[in-house]
Amino acid sequence: MRVLVVEDFEILAQTVANGLRREGLAVDLVLDGVEALERLAVNRYDVVVLDRDLPGVSGDDVCRHIVKAQSGSRVLMLTASGGVRDRIEGLGIGADDYLGKPFDFDELVARIRALARRPTTILPPVLTIGDLTLDPARRTADRGGHRLDLSPREFGVLECLMEAGGRPVSAETLLDRVWDEAADPFTTAVKTAIRRLRARLGDPPIIHTVREAGYRVGPA
């Protein structure tokens, strides 16, 4: 899951971003609305955690841009303007959820995960291919009834592959969805994660390389 945090109070922004990274999310961070629009123009985010009161371009205008672009990004407004009228206004602009400050961090994480489970293409709550199952909500994966001990990156790669339902997913797409903007596009991180995943999943092999297309999950 890739998240963009847009918050002008830098201490809070860094705290939220670091906490989300510890939860296994790929997080990019910006401090104003102008930079938020720049990132949104080049990256695809599952969820945007957005402050309303931003310098340059307001959070409301950033939200309107996301809605107009129909990128599929979900918007969670995180703001001190937490009254009922403020929430109604924010949701009316197009936000998918609204959380007032101060907030409980565990609730923030739960709301982000809930938003990310609302894809444009409706997916089942538990993904299953053969004897491999993955539960995005509980962050668990099993094969043949045995729980898999996966790192957050490995889980993210497997989730992307299983969401594709057997269709190939390119290394570029995996890098964009699972890693943050600090990832080197020429890195071998995806190959390394795939190799480790194959080792953890065991035999028979279920992750296959598709020449010039990427990787897919399914029978040979």
Side-chain angles (χ1 to χ4, degrees):
M1 188 194 310
R2 191 165 183 182
V3 177
L4 177 65
V5 174
V6 189
E7 166 63 56
D8 66 329
F9 182 32
E10 188 169 1
I11 295 176
L12 176 60
Q14 291 288 356
T15 299
V16 170
N18 291 337
L20 294 178
R21 288 173 183 136
R22 287 193 294 271
E23 292 292 324
L25 282 62
V27 182
D28 295 342
L29 170 62
V30 297
L31 303 177
D32 60 66
V34 173
E35 193 173 0
L37 294 178
E38 292 173 353
R39 302 296 178 87
L40 288 163
V42 297
N43 297 319
R44 189 261 187 194
Y45 295 98
D46 297 288
V47 178
V48 179
V49 179
L50 180 65
D51 187 13
R52 291 187 72 178
D53 187 16
L54 295 171
V57 176
S58 72
D60 289 358
D61 285 340
V62 172
C63 183
R64 292 187 182 99
H65 168 84
I66 293 171
V67 173
K68 184 177 180 180
Q70 296 183 329
S71 63
S73 298
R74 306 297 183 180
V75 177
L76 190 161
M77 284 188 170
L78 183 65
T79 175
S81 304
V84 173
R85 294 305 308 173
D86 297 309
R87 295 197 298 272
I88 291 172
E89 186 179 63
L91 294 170
I93 291 168
D96 298 280
D97 200 356
Y98 200 108
L99 186 59
K101 302 174 184 174
F103 59 91
D104 181 86
F105 183 76
D106 289 339
E107 181 181 3
L108 172 64
V109 173
R111 286 176 180 243
I112 290 173
R113 294 202 189 282
L115 288 178
R117 292 196 298 272
R118 300 184 197 171
T120 52
T121 301
I122 297 176
L123 295 170
V126 176
L127 304 173
T128 302
I129 296 180
D131 62 350
L132 178 63
T133 62
L134 183 144
D135 187 330
R138 293 184 173 86
R139 311 300 291 172
T140 59
D142 301 78
R143 188 175 191 193
H146 299 287
R147 182 63 50 85
L148 300 172
D149 182 17
L150 303 179
S151 72
R153 288 276 189 265
E154 291 163 356
F155 189 94
V157 170
L158 184 59
E159 184 175 11
C160 285
L161 292 175
M162 294 187 70
E163 285 177 350
R167 298 183 302 276
V169 181
S170 69
E172 292 78 11
T173 297
L174 291 172
L175 193 66
D176 181 66
R177 291 289 308 280
V178 182
W179 282 261
D180 59 28
E181 64 180 359
D184 182 348
F186 302 104
T187 185
T188 61
V190 173
K191 288 184 178 180
T192 300
I194 291 290
R195 185 177 68 250
R196 290 176 176 169
L197 259 179
R198 284 171 169 156
R200 296 189 191 281
L201 292 170
D203 293 322
I206 195 170
I207 297 180
H208 309 284
T209 301
V210 181
R211 185 168 178 170
E212 298 183 357
Y215 306 93
R216 69 173 182 85
V217 171

